[in-house]
């Protein structure tokens, strides 16, 4: 197996899963070198460092922006599974935005955040840094609003 050093920033995709021994953790990170969702990569990660595993399992939540470092392990002949990142360094760059109401759902569209409220059809849209983008009239209009924001043109009616 070949291991390649790697450092990347990305968002914790789901709650980490503890290993059988309780000292390791497996998790996924979504990273994108650009603001285009088509460039996103989901990295399968694991850590054997008990301190990092503890932090992941007790302090981190989906949507947290992390900087992770480690070695990309590429499978060799006869190895099962795909490539994975063996993490030996972890830094929380930004916590996930707070979710205030259980009925509301916060979702990510690349670097954008949207709030789905079952009580209304409109969908507020923000950048990942919290800057206001606008309100989509309905869920199907979110990508049009984001495109208009990125290009500086008004959204199509």
């Amino acid at each position: 197996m070949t291991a390649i050093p790697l450092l990347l920033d990305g968002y914790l995709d789901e709650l980490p899963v503890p290993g059988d021994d309780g000292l390791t953790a497996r998790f996924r990170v979504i990273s994108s070198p650009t603001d285009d969702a088509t460039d996103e990569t989901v990295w399968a990660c694991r850590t054997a460092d008990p301190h990092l595993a503890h932090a992941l399992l007790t302090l981190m939540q989906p949507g947290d922006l992390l900087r992770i470092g480690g070695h990309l392990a590429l499978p060799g002949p006869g190895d099962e599974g795909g490539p994975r990142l063996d993490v030996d360094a972890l830094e929380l760059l930004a916590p996930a935005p707070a979710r205030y109401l259980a009925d509301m759902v916060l979702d990510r569209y690349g670097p954008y955040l949207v709030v789905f409220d079952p009580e209304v059809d409109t969908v507020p849209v923000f950048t990942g840094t919290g800057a206001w983008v606008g309100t989509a009239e309905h869920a199907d209009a979110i990508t049009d609003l984001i495109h208009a924001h990125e290009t500086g043109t008004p959204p199509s009616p």
Side-chain angles (χ1 to χ4, degrees), residues 8-11 29-43 109-111 150:
L8 61 92
D9 295 347
Y11 295 93
V29 171
I30 299 174
S31 179
S32 180
T34 69
D35 289 340
D36 189 348
T38 59
D39 293 331
E40 289 182 349
T41 301
V42 178
W43 296 89
Y109 278 64
E150 290 178 346

Side-chain angles (χ1 to χ4, degrees), residues 64-146:
D64 284 350
L65 179 59
L66 307 175
R67 175 165 291 145
I68 56 175
H71 289 84
L72 180 62
L74 301 175
D79 288 344
E80 292 184 22
R84 74 175 179 282
L85 183 59
D86 290 328
V87 176
D88 53 25
L90 173 72
E91 178 184 355
L92 176 64
L93 298 177
R99 298 181 186 194
Y100 294 104
L101 300 175
D103 293 336
M104 289 187 176
V105 175
L106 186 66
D107 200 2
R108 181 173 294 282
Y109 278 64
Y112 296 92
L113 300 173
V114 298
V115 181
F116 292 104
D117 182 351
E119 303 289 322
V120 296
D121 291 333
T122 58
V123 183
V125 180
F126 303 88
T127 66
T129 60
W132 177 251
V133 173
T135 302
E137 292 302 314
H138 48 79
D140 293 337
I142 294 170
T143 53
D144 291 338
L145 179 65
I146 291 171

